[in-house]
Amino acid sequence: MSTSQPRRALNIDNINPHVKAAQYAVRGELAVRSEEYRAALAKGEGKDLPFDTVIAANIGNPQQLDQKPITFFRQVASLLENPLLLEHEDVLINSLGYKSDVIARAKWLLKEIKSVGAYSQSQGAPGIRESVAKFIERRDGYPASSKDIYLSTGASSGVNTLLHVIAAKPETGILVPIPQYPLYTATLSVLDARCVPYYLEESKSWGTNLQAIQEAYDKAVSEGTDVKAIVIINPGNPTGASLTPADIKAVLKFAAEKSLVVMADEVYQTNVFIGEFVSFKKALRDLQKETPGKYDTLELASLHSISKGMVGECGHRGGYFELVSFDPEVAAEIYKFISIQLCPPVLGQCIVEVMVNPPKKGEPSFELYNKEYTNIFEGLKKRAYALYEAFKQMEGVEIDEPQGSMYLFPTIKLPAKAIKQAEKEGRKPDDFYCFRLLDATGVCVVPGSGFGQKEGTLHFRTTFLAPGTDWTGRIVKFHKDFMDEFRE
Amino acid sequence: MSTSQPRRALNIDNINPHVKAAQYAVRGELAVRSEEYRAALAKGEGKDLPFDTVIAANIGNPQQLDQKPITFFRQVASLLENPLLLEHEDVLINSLGYKSDVIARAKWLLKEIKSVGAYSQSQGAPGIRESVAKFIERRDGYPASSKDIYLSTGASSGVNTLLHVIAAKPETGILVPIPQYPLYTATLSVLDARCVPYYLEESKSWGTNLQAIQEAYDKAVSEGTDVKAIVIINPGNPTGASLTPADIKAVLKFAAEKSLVVMADEVYQTNVFIGEFVSFKKALRDLQKETPGKYDTLELASLHSISKGMVGECGHRGGYFELVSFDPEVAAEIYKFISIQLCPPVLGQCIVEVMVNPPKKGEPSFELYNKEYTNIFEGLKKRAYALYEAFKQMEGVEIDEPQGSMYLFPTIKLPAKAIKQAEKEGRKPDDFYCFRLLDATGVCVVPGSGFGQKEGTLHFRTTFLAPGTDWTGRIVKFHKDFMDEFRE
């Protein structure tokens, strides 16, 4: 036996360096500090704090804030969880207000899945994948097949799966928009593959700029990067930008020319205030019709989620991706990869089903569903515009009209003195600003550096989910005080 | 624009080779074929098949078969899904048979999580982690802290997280028992780290053999492997073996001597028929008491799940791991890694809570809970022994008395002629046997090669979850016919 001193196997210097390198600011140090404030206030220990509530505007988590779940979805879910309730249909209907379509849907789903406590096929329950395919057909006007649908544990696990399969070697590169949702850069770090950043055009409402994409691609290739895919987030996160069909087609043409997989992150597809959402799948099928043959092998993976939209069921971890034109052998590897984690949460799969197949006009639950859905949509829009109006008044803040998603991403111009102070404290200027905001107001936002931003520009991302206008007022007051403090 | 022929970006030769290398037989070709049979029978297309039902004995998925969920768990879950039901307590109690402790638990959980539709902390909701810590304290008689508990998406995602952080480089090695649940080898393949196999001792009821572990370790080190951890599955999968406290301590001492992280996969901790489950955490604390100072830095990660035991809530994807003695900087990296996927399913977290904190004696739901729990346990045991008795009679089959878990893992000795035929068909002999079994009987099991087995030995793993005895009879008859067919 060795007599050496006991020592730990793992320390910060010998664990996986790629995990260490990953950055994920949405739940980083700021979020942790905001949770500490929240816990202190809950225990009555926060008497010294200059605020009495913490506002989590850092993450799109509607039900942690004001948003109520959609009744139809949750009534169905309650029956899936306790199918014994179905032995009391009279009580459900007469005493609890359940409608017949709730009961019918629950029965149908139970037939498809047998139990929410049973593993499903790794790709998701076949009947639910059928529903998703039909939804895509209705949305796009083009056929879809349940064989190409892969249910996932939120869209995040879908992204994780796709990047795992694509990232063949350290030279593999993926074009990622900047600013971006940091899931992409973090996962590429873990996989030791290359993020090939392309900048979105802030001056054009954060749209894609094909020249910027081309330049990013060329630069990467010249550096020996094997660029295999391009990520598009539409509507944008953190930007809210909604792409036009022309923009989408331009990206598809570029991808076809360079043989790139297109990863279309479309989780905010119903959060659109201006214009209309057009899916990459529809745009691709349109292109294929316009130019037969030319785009037949263009691979597209399109992702969706139950966490966003008017559904907001983040905690249920449901989502799906559709594969278009993937080589069957590659699809088989994707299947094997996801099978190692057995299957996505089955109740999350069921919530996907009710999301893509909600009550229709004339059905008993439609009226309430429609009212709830519309109220959530209007509420989000109203808050987005209220926040926008507040930001417009703030000195040194530039902001576009809200277009969609759940976020605003204003530019902030900070005084040189503030930037110097940030440097002194070892923080990036936007980090410094956001910490000051949190410490002064309890409002937690995410600095632009967490998403990436052009050198020399500063931003922050805030959700517009929190109820009331008090917290908006807190930001306005803080900003004024901050600017006054650091004015030269 | 390039005029080259369109081609796909991805093909089987240019995707991630480590994903390609991963093998996961539990959901492999056999399982896929069995699903095809099932689908054909469901459509009335299976008239030619020599069986009328498919028996999924390949995977521990109790609720896909006969097992009913535990009523208390699902009543609580139904209220979490539809909290509006809590406005009708009288109906719940008087018309639907809900007890007051069901309602109280649902209210408490809703206070802790706010909504099952909201993201929780990435590590899991604090109140639920508190419950888990208290459960561990009661189980082991030693303190536990919610700070060290990490809720997960089933135990599988916990394993994935831990291996991700440990696998620093291609030379990193993890000691893995053979036979093993293939999650370990598959994940190590994906991570491009080394599996260091150590054989369990079949002649001693599949217990650990310290000499075999030492030899595997020495061989790996001599080949330049940096061995960082040892995986133990206790009770065993696929073997069912239950380790004695002395075996566990021997492993812990070895790990301490070599500075290895101990990963204790304890998901079958309540599936024990012979003897009593002792956790690695308890054994470690005992050792630390016996020899103060010596084992203070031994890192242990212990995993548990809601998918197994008498709970069997696989589809809800819930689990947790407890970290013992991990460096706080390493734990912070684990936290960051899991935060990239936001949080485990919140309802799965709630099922973890009711699993670790079920109704207590004297509480309104206790009697029914206890009856259901005991019936499931006794049912599993009865089926295990029925299968064992059947296997004992089969020619060339060797089998130990069932000890625990959900599986039997008999040795099969096949005639040389059968092995030759397998070779001719390009299959491993156990693979060949299992395909023949499926094609003849509709019973799907997993060949031993999917878990690893000593050179020259053959096994298969079957669950003992399927109801009835008909399918056991099918296996017995098939085996006799098979042996007759290939007898020399």
Side-chain angles (χ1 to χ4, degrees):
Chain A
M1 285 272 176
S2 141
T3 55
S4 64
Q5 280 295 72
R7 60 189 165 81
R8 287 197 175 95
L10 303 181
N11 60 58
I12 195 70
D13 296 319
N14 73 2
I15 59 169
N16 186 340
H18 309 304
V19 168
K20 244 168 74 183
Q23 297 194 350
Y24 189 71
V26 176
R27 294 202 157 201
E29 195 189 341
L30 258 163
V32 169
R33 188 184 293 183
S34 81
E35 283 296 330
E36 287 165 3
Y37 285 152
R38 184 195 301 278
L41 289 168
K43 284 186 199 155
E45 287 167 5
K47 301 273 183 283
D48 305 341
L49 294 174
F51 47 85
D52 53 8
T53 51
V54 168
I55 305 291
N58 57 316
I59 190 158
N61 192 8
Q63 293 188 27
Q64 188 63 37
L65 299 166
D66 196 33
Q67 192 170 307
K68 295 274 167 293
I70 289 178
T71 303
F72 177 80
F73 296 176
R74 293 303 197 85
Q75 286 179 333
V76 171
S78 68
L79 299 178
L80 298 175
E81 283 300 330
N82 188 10
L84 297 176
L85 291 174
L86 291 166
E87 294 169 12
H88 304 273
E89 285 191 25
D90 55 327
V91 179
L92 292 172
I93 289 172
N94 299 322
S95 306
L96 298 172
Y98 282 48
K99 308 280 189 199
S100 60
D101 53 349
V102 170
I103 293 169
R105 184 66 63 90
K107 285 183 178 171
W108 178 77
L109 279 166
L110 282 169
K111 193 169 67 62
E112 295 298 318
I113 59 170
K114 180 128 183 189
S115 164
V116 287
Y119 294 124
S120 70
Q121 288 182 17
S122 298
Q123 198 177 342
I128 295 175
R129 289 190 279 116
E130 285 286 350
S131 273
V132 173
K134 282 181 199 155
F135 155 74
I136 295 172
E137 290 185 357
R138 284 193 305 274
R139 185 193 65 190
D140 295 341
Y142 288 104
S145 163
S146 64
K147 289 199 178 77
D148 301 322
I149 309 296
Y150 294 73
L151 291 164
S152 60
T153 308
S156 300
S157 86
V159 168
N160 184 59
T161 296
L162 293 164
L163 293 181
H164 256 89
V165 171
I166 299 172
K169 51 185 192 288
E171 297 77 32
T172 301
I174 314 276
L175 282 155
V176 173
I178 300 294
Q180 50 104 34
Y181 177 54
L183 166 64
Y184 293 95
T185 39
T187 308
L188 288 171
S189 283
V190 170
L191 285 165
D192 190 25
R194 293 183 189 167
C195 172
V196 181
Y198 67 90
Y199 286 99
L200 299 172
E201 205 163 5
E202 183 162 11
S203 64
K204 290 191 178 161
S205 302
W206 294 110
T208 46
N209 174 339
L210 209 66
Q211 200 189 324
I213 296 175
Q214 177 79 57
E215 283 169 12
Y217 176 88
D218 290 342
K219 179 163 176 286
V221 170
S222 78
E223 290 165 357
T225 301
D226 182 14
V227 184
K228 297 301 284 180
I230 178 167
V231 171
I232 308 276
I233 310 176
N234 181 46
N237 178 1
T239 66
S242 204
L243 297 182
T244 64
D247 285 342
I248 295 173
K249 282 187 188 170
V251 170
L252 288 170
K253 285 178 179 173
F254 179 82
E257 190 195 326
K258 307 296 185 192
S259 279
L260 303 179
V261 176
V262 177
M263 281 179 66
D265 178 337
E266 303 180 318
V267 301
Y268 295 98
Q269 59 188 263
T270 57
N271 298 97
V272 176
F273 303 141
I274 295 179
E276 197 178 88
F277 170 75
V278 173
S279 76
F280 268 75
K281 170 89 179 291
K282 176 177 174 1
L284 173 59
R285 293 299 189 224
D286 284 348
L287 257 189
Q288 288 172 338
K289 219 156 68 175
E290 291 160 20
T291 325
K294 187 151 184 194
Y295 300 100
D296 285 1
T297 56
L298 180 53
E299 294 137 284
L300 167 66
S302 147
L303 298 119
H304 197 9
S305 165
I306 60 173
S307 301
K308 309 304 169 189
M310 272 41 76
V311 182
E313 294 283 2
C314 315
H316 279 109
R317 315 303 299 117
Y320 74 81
F321 57 89
E322 181 188 18
L323 297 184
V324 181
S325 299
F326 272 62
D327 184 318
E329 286 185 311
V330 174
E333 293 295 322
I334 290 174
Y335 186 89
K336 183 187 70 188
F337 180 80
I338 57 177
S339 77
I340 300 171
Q341 292 285 319
L342 298 169
C343 73
V346 176
L347 192 70
Q349 297 183 36
C350 295
I351 306 275
V352 170
E353 204 284 330
V354 289
M355 172 180 81
V356 299
N357 185 21
K360 290 180 198 54
K361 209 165 181 165
E363 291 176 353
S365 295
F366 176 76
E367 203 179 327
L368 179 61
Y369 166 77
N370 193 46
K371 192 178 130 198
E372 290 174 337
Y373 189 95
T374 309
N375 280 349
I376 295 170
F377 183 84
E378 294 301 336
L380 289 173
K381 193 168 173 181
K382 204 173 118 190
R383 284 181 206 158
Y385 275 87
L387 204 54
Y388 163 63
E389 291 299 334
F391 285 164
K392 272 205 301 189
Q393 299 164 20
M394 279 159 48
E395 181 189 351
V397 171
E398 284 169 23
I399 175 86
D400 260 349
E401 198 179 343
Q403 293 188 77
S405 84
M406 294 179 166
Y407 313 105
L408 294 185
F409 194 64
T411 295
I412 42 173
K413 294 198 171 138
L414 300 183
K417 215 170 131 190
I419 292 170
K420 220 164 158 185
Q421 182 62 27
E423 213 168 279
K424 232 165 116 181
E425 297 184 14
R427 294 204 182 275
K428 292 173 187 158
D430 52 351
D431 241 18
F432 170 73
Y433 177 88
C434 293
F435 270 104
R436 281 292 203 100
L437 174 66
L438 174 64
D439 292 342
T441 66
V443 178
C444 185
V445 300
V446 186
S449 50
F451 307 95
Q453 54 199 352
K454 268 199 179 143
E455 186 72 29
T457 69
L458 298 172
H459 305 77
F460 65 87
R461 186 189 83 167
T462 174
T463 70
F464 41 77
L465 299 167
T469 52
D470 152 67
W471 66 282
T472 315
R474 289 194 224 171
I475 298 177
V476 173
K477 179 173 181 307
F478 159 78
H479 186 77
K480 189 176 173 307
D481 293 347
F482 183 94
M483 296 302 271
D484 287 347
E485 180 180 347
F486 292 103
R487 205 178 302 281
E488 340 257 325
Chain B
M1 283 276 177
S2 141
T3 55
S4 63
Q5 280 293 76
R7 58 186 168 82
R8 287 198 175 95
L10 303 180
N11 60 58
I12 195 70
D13 296 319
N14 73 2
I15 59 169
N16 186 340
H18 309 303
V19 168
K20 244 168 74 184
Q23 297 193 350
Y24 189 71
V26 175
R27 294 201 157 201
E29 195 189 342
L30 258 163
V32 170
R33 187 184 293 183
S34 80
E35 284 296 330
E36 287 165 3
Y37 285 153
R38 184 195 300 278
L41 288 168
K43 283 186 202 155
E45 286 167 7
K47 300 273 183 283
D48 304 341
L49 294 174
F51 47 85
D52 54 8
T53 51
V54 168
I55 305 291
N58 57 317
I59 190 157
N61 191 8
Q63 294 188 27
Q64 189 61 38
L65 299 166
D66 196 32
Q67 191 170 308
K68 296 275 167 293
I70 288 178
T71 303
F72 177 80
F73 297 176
R74 293 301 199 87
Q75 286 179 332
V76 171
S78 68
L79 300 179
L80 298 176
E81 284 299 332
N82 188 8
L84 297 175
L85 291 173
L86 290 166
E87 293 169 12
H88 304 274
E89 284 191 24
D90 54 326
V91 179
L92 292 172
I93 290 172
N94 299 321
S95 305
L96 299 172
Y98 282 47
K99 309 280 189 199
S100 60
D101 52 350
V102 170
I103 293 169
R105 183 67 63 90
K107 285 184 179 170
W108 178 77
L109 279 166
L110 282 169
K111 193 169 67 62
E112 295 297 318
I113 59 170
K114 179 126 184 190
S115 164
V116 287
Y119 294 125
S120 70
Q121 288 183 16
S122 298
Q123 196 177 343
I128 296 175
R129 290 190 278 115
E130 285 286 348
S131 273
V132 172
K134 282 181 198 153
F135 155 74
I136 295 172
E137 290 185 357
R138 285 193 306 273
R139 185 193 66 190
D140 295 341
Y142 288 104
S145 163
S146 65
K147 289 200 178 77
D148 301 322
I149 309 296
Y150 294 72
L151 292 164
S152 60
T153 307
S156 300
S157 86
V159 168
N160 184 60
T161 296
L162 294 164
L163 293 181
H164 256 89
V165 171
I166 298 172
K169 51 185 192 285
E171 297 76 32
T172 301
I174 314 277
L175 282 155
V176 172
I178 300 295
Q180 51 104 34
Y181 177 55
L183 166 65
Y184 293 94
T185 39
T187 307
L188 289 171
S189 283
V190 170
L191 285 165
D192 190 24
R194 293 183 188 166
C195 172
V196 180
Y198 67 91
Y199 286 99
L200 299 172
E201 205 163 4
E202 184 164 11
S203 64
K204 289 192 178 159
S205 302
W206 294 109
T208 46
N209 174 339
L210 209 67
Q211 201 190 323
I213 296 175
Q214 176 78 57
E215 283 168 14
Y217 176 89
D218 290 342
K219 179 162 176 286
V221 169
S222 77
E223 290 165 357
T225 300
D226 182 14
V227 184
K228 297 301 286 181
I230 179 167
V231 171
I232 308 275
I233 310 176
N234 181 45
N237 177 2
T239 67
S242 202
L243 297 181
T244 64
D247 285 341
I248 294 173
K249 283 188 186 170
V251 170
L252 289 170
K253 284 179 180 174
F254 178 82
E257 189 195 326
K258 306 295 186 194
S259 279
L260 304 179
V261 176
V262 177
M263 280 178 67
D265 178 338
E266 302 180 320
V267 301
Y268 296 98
Q269 59 188 262
T270 57
N271 297 98
V272 176
F273 302 141
I274 294 179
E276 196 178 87
F277 170 75
V278 173
S279 76
F280 268 75
K281 170 88 179 292
K282 176 179 174 1
L284 173 59
R285 293 299 189 225
D286 284 347
L287 258 188
Q288 288 172 337
K289 217 157 68 175
E290 290 160 20
T291 324
K294 189 152 183 193
Y295 299 100
D296 286 0
T297 56
L298 181 52
E299 294 138 284
L300 167 67
S302 148
L303 298 120
H304 197 11
S305 165
I306 59 173
S307 301
K308 310 303 168 189
M310 272 41 77
V311 182
E313 293 283 2
C314 314
H316 278 110
R317 315 303 298 116
Y320 74 82
F321 57 89
E322 182 188 18
L323 296 184
V324 182
S325 299
F326 272 62
D327 184 319
E329 286 185 312
V330 174
E333 292 295 323
I334 290 173
Y335 186 89
K336 184 187 67 187
F337 179 80
I338 57 176
S339 77
I340 299 170
Q341 291 285 319
L342 299 169
C343 73
V346 176
L347 192 70
Q349 297 184 35
C350 295
I351 306 275
V352 169
E353 204 284 330
V354 290
M355 172 180 80
V356 300
N357 185 21
K360 289 179 199 56
K361 210 165 180 166
E363 291 176 353
S365 295
F366 176 75
E367 202 178 330
L368 179 61
Y369 165 77
N370 193 46
K371 193 179 131 197
E372 291 174 336
Y373 188 95
T374 309
N375 281 348
I376 295 171
F377 183 85
E378 294 301 335
L380 288 173
K381 193 169 174 180
K382 205 174 119 189
R383 285 181 205 156
Y385 276 86
L387 204 55
Y388 163 65
E389 292 299 332
F391 284 164
K392 272 206 300 190
Q393 299 162 20
M394 279 159 48
E395 181 189 350
V397 170
E398 283 169 22
I399 176 86
D400 261 349
E401 197 177 343
Q403 293 188 77
S405 84
M406 296 179 166
Y407 313 106
L408 293 184
F409 194 65
T411 296
I412 42 174
K413 294 198 170 140
L414 300 183
K417 216 170 130 189
I419 291 170
K420 221 163 157 183
Q421 181 62 27
E423 213 169 279
K424 232 164 117 182
E425 298 186 13
R427 293 203 183 277
K428 292 173 189 160
D430 51 351
D431 240 16
F432 171 72
Y433 178 88
C434 294
F435 270 104
R436 281 292 203 97
L437 174 66
L438 173 64
D439 292 343
T441 67
V443 178
C444 184
V445 300
V446 186
S449 50
F451 306 95
Q453 53 198 351
K454 267 199 180 145
E455 186 73 32
T457 69
L458 299 172
H459 305 76
F460 65 86
R461 185 189 83 167
T462 175
T463 70
F464 40 76
L465 299 168
T469 52
D470 151 70
W471 66 282
T472 315
R474 290 193 223 170
I475 298 178
V476 172
K477 181 174 179 309
F478 159 79
H479 187 78
K480 190 177 172 309
D481 293 348
F482 182 94
M483 296 302 271
D484 287 348
E485 180 180 348
F486 292 104
R487 205 177 301 281
E488 338 259 323

